[in-house]
Amino acid sequence: MTEQSASRSRATELALDKAYATDGPEANRELYAEWADTYDSGFVVDSRYVYPQQVAGVFCHGFAHIDEPVLDVGCGTGIVATELARLGVSVIDGIDLSPEMLAEAEAKTHDGRPLYRRLFEADLTGPTELADGAYAGIVSAGAFTHGIFGPETISELLRVARPGARFALGINSAHFVEVGFGHWLEERQLDGLIAGLNFDLRPIYEEADEADPDQWSRIAAFTAA
């Protein structure tokens, strides 16, 4: 490992140790309020965070352009939406529990216009004000991890998805196993609520350690029935 890689790993570990030790909506609001203005220039750059590209790539695979509304869950500062827009998604809404992260996202543009159509501050551990069947696609990178969302949150996302809506939900691999995402999603498929379920293993960081599940994601790809 180079000195640069080692430094990057230490920075990543310190940030993630703090994030993974944070549990519940209010604690996460406090964490991301502190982190928002340096998230892109600090954590994303220092850790060589490739998670947004991975999730956006899975979601957009096979499509040259997507002009129906897509919801970015746990949108943070807008790094996933930046990739979606680059790949041809033209209408993106974002939802996050941190007003400070949303302020960073609101300032971003793509091709001279705001990156997001609308942004919502909400906690997805409960019901939201999003309309039934509002979205043709739902993506997430970073929200389904330790101390944030478990699989039950997906029920609310299914409510706001149209029939046939595409999903690409990045789930931290360690969290995926610990709280039973695989079993939960397979049950939803057996119940006829989703179809075409597939789990795509992808690195979260450019130099992900193969032995560390916290550096990998299971991207759950499926469609709403």
Side-chain angles (χ1 to χ4, degrees), residues 179-220:
V179 300
F181 273 93
H183 179 67
W184 193 94
L185 284 165
E186 286 163 0
E187 283 192 335
R188 302 292 86 73
Q189 182 159 258
L190 288 172
D191 291 342
L193 298 177
I194 66 174
L197 178 63
N198 181 63
F199 300 114
D200 198 340
L201 183 65
R202 297 291 185 95
I204 295 174
Y205 310 101
E206 190 171 297
E207 297 181 353
D209 181 348
E210 292 184 4
D212 184 356
D214 277 323
Q215 297 190 29
W216 293 81
S217 168
R218 308 283 182 91
I219 301 177

Side-chain angles (χ1 to χ4, degrees), residues 151-162:
E152 64 283 347
T153 303
I154 300 171
S155 294
E156 177 67 3
L157 302 182
L158 288 171
R159 181 186 68 77
V160 304
R162 299 173 183 173

Side-chain angles (χ1 to χ4, degrees), residues 38 40 54 77 85 97 115 126 135 153 159 163-165 173 184-185 218:
T38 61
D40 289 8
Q54 300 287 2
T77 62
L97 54 71
L115 179 60
Y135 294 99
T153 303
R159 181 186 68 77
S173 284
W184 193 94
L185 284 165
R218 308 283 182 91

Side-chain angles (χ1 to χ4, degrees), residues 72-153:
D72 180 6
V73 176
C75 66
T77 62
I79 52 178
V80 177
T82 298
E83 291 300 318
L84 291 172
R86 184 180 66 82
L87 293 171
V89 179
S90 58
V91 183
I92 310 169
D93 290 351
I95 187 168
D96 200 281
L97 54 71
S98 167
E100 292 81 7
M101 297 290 267
L102 288 170
E104 297 292 325
E106 187 174 19
K108 290 187 174 173
T109 61
H110 178 77
D111 285 347
R113 61 182 179 85
L115 179 60
Y116 287 98
R117 179 182 67 170
R118 289 181 294 187
L119 289 164
F120 303 94
E121 181 186 343
D123 171 14
L124 280 170
T125 59
T128 70
E129 296 181 1
L130 298 174
D132 292 355
Y135 294 99
I138 298 182
V139 302
S140 182
F144 290 94
T145 189
H146 306 283
I148 306 185
F149 297 141
E152 64 283 347
T153 303

Side-chain angles (χ1 to χ4, degrees), residues 58-86:
V58 168
F59 179 78
C60 294
H61 180 70
F63 287 81
H65 185 76
I66 300 171
D67 58 8
E68 295 182 282
V70 172
L71 181 65
D72 180 6
V73 176
C75 66
T77 62
I79 52 178
V80 177
T82 298
E83 291 300 318
L84 291 172
R86 184 180 66 82

